Amino acid sequence: MSSHLLLIDDDTRLTTMVADYLRGHGFEVDSAGSLKAGRELLRHGSYDALLLDLMLPDGDGLDLTRELRAEPRTRRLPLLMLTARGEPMDRIVGLEIGADDYLPKPFEPRELLARLKALLRRSAPEAAADDQLEFGRLVIDLAARQARLGGQPCDLTAHQFDLLVVLARAAGRVLTRDQIMDALKGHPLDAFDRSIDVHISRIRAVIEDDPRHPQRVLTVRGTGYVFARKQDQADA
């Protein structure tokens, strides 16, 4: 069954080219040229991923991103930002409020296809994954693709969940940014634009909610990150 995508971008020429290219690779693609039209399609349709431009004639794509992440039905919808904005702050803000990836214009269609496939792979259910990773109050349910803290679901994007799993599976071992990117199966994050740091900052905010407990994800300066096991007894 092919994946159903929604592309929201007011550049008609680009939209036509991208939609035709993705259809040629087996995707179903709907398109909208404004936030209003995109919201209407999202309201009545079901999509496997969203490709979203930030600069639209009737508003900012970041506003729609916030709306989607606030709604239970679309909270985990894989979202790839497409934008001509080149400022690092725009990229960081987008990732902080819930976008899973970022692709600046102009881009190669093959790179878009690779990023999109990686995004869909990460969001797909893992039929064989029926186990859990447990660290005191924190439970990472691999089958449900959900992290829970004290029994309450953690608000993480698909990419942030996968990043948490990579760290938790290597608990007690320092991982470099290169090792993290390799473990994410080729996800095209640029380690030097600090997007990994942005996602980890969001993960920390969600799973480290109690100041009485030490940090779970530690930064090893100049090297990378480590998911600490020493908190297990303190959490229990």
Side-chain angles (χ1 to χ4, degrees):
M1 185 175 180
S2 59
S3 296
H4 195 185
L5 312 176
L6 175 59
L7 170 59
I8 304 178
D9 195 310
D10 64 328
D11 186 333
T12 306
R13 183 167 175 267
L14 177 67
T15 299
T16 300
M17 179 194 73
V18 169
D20 287 346
Y21 180 81
L22 293 175
R23 289 186 186 114
H25 285 80
F27 293 96
E28 295 180 35
V29 184
D30 291 342
S31 60
S34 67
L35 287 177
K36 180 180 179 180
R39 287 188 179 100
E40 191 67 17
L41 287 171
L42 285 165
R43 188 175 298 115
H44 299 291
S46 177
Y47 295 97
D48 298 298
L50 171 63
L51 311 178
L52 175 65
D53 187 25
L54 293 192
M55 301 175 67
L56 291 158
D58 57 343
D60 195 315
L62 293 176
D63 294 332
L64 179 58
T65 301
R66 292 187 184 93
E67 293 172 19
L68 295 177
R69 292 317 184 216
E71 289 290 331
R73 190 173 76 90
T74 55
R75 182 168 296 155
R76 297 186 181 280
L77 176 67
L79 194 159
L80 174 63
M81 294 189 302
L82 303 174
T83 178
R85 292 179 177 177
E87 291 297 321
M89 187 53 64
D90 290 319
R91 181 162 56 245
I92 290 171
V93 169
L95 294 170
E96 283 181 334
I97 65 175
D100 295 289
D101 201 0
Y102 181 104
L103 186 59
K105 299 176 182 177
F107 53 81
E108 285 289 334
R110 286 182 299 176
E111 182 179 3
L112 171 63
L113 181 63
R115 288 178 181 245
L116 184 57
K117 285 182 175 179
L119 202 57
L120 290 168
R121 274 199 308 271
R122 293 196 309 275
S123 63
E126 299 179 30
D130 57 0
D131 54 325
Q132 297 183 345
L133 302 175
E134 299 187 20
F135 302 89
R137 296 174 64 236
L138 177 65
V139 175
I140 303 172
D141 189 331
L142 302 177
R145 291 187 57 78
Q146 183 183 77
R148 296 185 293 273
L149 189 67
Q152 297 300 312
C154 297
D155 185 13
L156 298 172
T157 66
H159 174 58
Q160 289 162 1
F161 176 81
D162 287 333
L163 182 51
L164 175 61
V165 170
V166 167
L167 294 168
R169 279 178 166 161
R173 180 160 57 92
V174 177
L175 296 179
T176 67
R177 287 179 175 81
D178 286 343
Q179 288 173 320
I180 291 171
M181 292 173 70
D182 184 62
L184 288 171
K185 299 178 182 178
H187 181 262
L189 282 174
D190 182 351
F192 300 104
D193 72 3
R194 299 184 64 81
S195 51
I196 287 180
D197 306 85
V198 172
H199 285 301
I200 287 181
S201 176
R202 173 59 185 162
I203 290 170
R204 282 173 170 155
V206 171
I207 70 171
E208 298 172 1
D209 70 334
D210 192 336
R212 295 174 298 175
H213 296 309
Q215 276 189 310
R216 174 68 76 187
V217 182
L218 306 176
T219 301
V220 181
R221 190 173 298 276
T223 304
Y225 297 96
V226 60
F227 188 94
R229 296 192 62 94
K230 63 183 179 181
Q231 193 179 349
D232 296 0
Q233 291 183 344
D235 273 347

